[in-house]
Amino acid sequence: MNLFNVYPLYDIEPVKAKGSYLWDKNGQEYLDLYGGHAVISIGHSHPYYVEKLTTQLNNIGFYSNSVKIPIQEELATKLGELSGYEDYALFLCNSGAEANENALKTASFFNGRKKVVAFTKAFHGRTAGAVAVTDNKAIVAPVNYSEHVTFLPFNDIEALEQSVTEETCAVIVEGIQGVGGIQVASEAFLKAARAICDKTGAALILDSVQCGYGRSGKFFSHQYADVHPDLITTAKGMGNGFPIGGVLISPKFQAKFGMLGTTFGGNHLACAAGVAVLDVMKQENLIENASKMGDYLMSNLQQIQGIKELRGRGLMIGIEFEQPVDEIRDTLLFKHHIFCGYAGKHTLRLLPSLALGQTECDRFLEALQSVLK
Ligand code: PLP
């Protein structure tokens, strides 16, 4: 059987990874500033993480959500503490799209409404529900649920105030648009979203799948604006590579048996990964490090000639160029052995581990300078 060929691949086969580095099968070392789409939060194969997962697997790796799984509660407690959302409840699932799907369902169960307001260039995932609120025609199939969705320009407060009504079920927004080009939601925009949702009874969903989990220099990027969403979705960095997603649900929503559910969500191994990530984030002050290294990169990038615009927060950085970014990205990868991502045709996207050090930042800055010469 062949693989269903949906991913354009680089001809590189990583066989080992540690911290911010990868090695391919020929022993070539690479600096990883992309973390497989923002997934590697505490660094590849962190010894504490490996130990936690191995111990868990030696005890019990999986049983379904029909028995007590105390490590789910440990994860929820630690997540509440580190994120500052102690009074919210946690629903565990397996991916970002699933988290968004469940957030939309929770909102709709709560207010009985169907209409959703989302934003241009948003990316919320590829399940039927998540893709319906995603503004990317290339991935929307003929069967979709977008008839109830209105897309508005990102950061447009006036459009938001005109479009959200007492028929709106939810407003779904990324605190920093990732795939859409590293666009930061303004504080005024997030505050206006909160206010209009309060006024109309719509639920405010903050998709924090890419910009959450410490990446922005705060646990959630919307915390810069000091707003409290009704539902917050997470995945990616939550498991440092082990598939896990979650919805943080405000106390105003009442859980009912059977309302949400999943076979794999919250399994022992996934929770062990989730707990290990939070422990390491706390022990190694990784949120603070993301903020510090992000500032270091930004201030040094500002000195480099040939960059059109810099956007982002913490270790979620978009570097926009006048020219398409493919050649820059390929030269960084094949000549300097540095993995970066892109967001749109002209923007290089950095999503490194939150444990990134200054040595790694300097290596990237030098390489970029030499590529742009
Ligand atoms: N939401 C955002 C903001 C994302 O960036 C992504 C993935 O890139 C998703 C949701 C979907 O996550 P997943 O691929 O885990 O389903």
Side-chain angles (χ1 to χ4, degrees), residues 24 75 158 177 198 204 212 231-232 252 266 279-280 317 334:
D24 72 10
L75 175 60
E158 215 179 295
Q177 285 197 334
D198 284 342
L204 179 61
L231 298 141
I232 304 164
K252 77 179 184 199
D279 287 349
V280 172
I317 295 178
F334 293 111

Side-chain angles (χ1 to χ4, degrees), residues 95-98 100 123-126 174 179 207 209-210 235-236:
S95 68
E98 244 188 84
N100 286 328
F123 184 79
H124 297 297
R126 294 165 187 265
E174 291 166 78
V179 177
D207 178 344
V209 167
Q210 190 167 145
K236 292 201 187 280

Side-chain angles (χ1 to χ4, degrees), residues 304-305 366-373:
I304 297 181
Q305 301 282 310
E366 271 168 40
L368 184 65
Q369 236 161 342
S370 107
V371 174
L372 294 178
K373 255 183 201 156

Side-chain angles (χ1 to χ4, degrees), residues 215-276:
R215 177 152 300 284
S216 69
K218 289 209 184 271
F219 197 94
F220 291 118
S221 67
H222 62 257
Q223 290 170 321
Y224 282 100
D226 198 25
V227 296
H228 283 74
D230 299 305
L231 298 141
I232 304 164
T233 57
T234 105
K236 292 201 187 280
M238 189 175 184
N240 200 49
F242 200 100
I244 179 170
V247 190
L248 281 72
I249 304 176
S250 125
K252 77 179 184 199
F253 299 96
Q254 198 68 44
K256 273 200 210 124
F257 288 158
M259 175 181 162
L260 307 174
T262 149
T263 300
F264 291 116
N267 70 72
H268 296 77
L269 260 187
C271 289
V275 167

Side-chain angles (χ1 to χ4, degrees), residues 87-107:
D87 55 336
Y88 281 45
L90 179 65
F91 176 73
L92 287 163
C93 55
N94 310 288
S95 68
E98 244 188 84
N100 286 328
E101 186 99 19
N102 282 292
L104 289 164
K105 275 162 75 177
T106 305

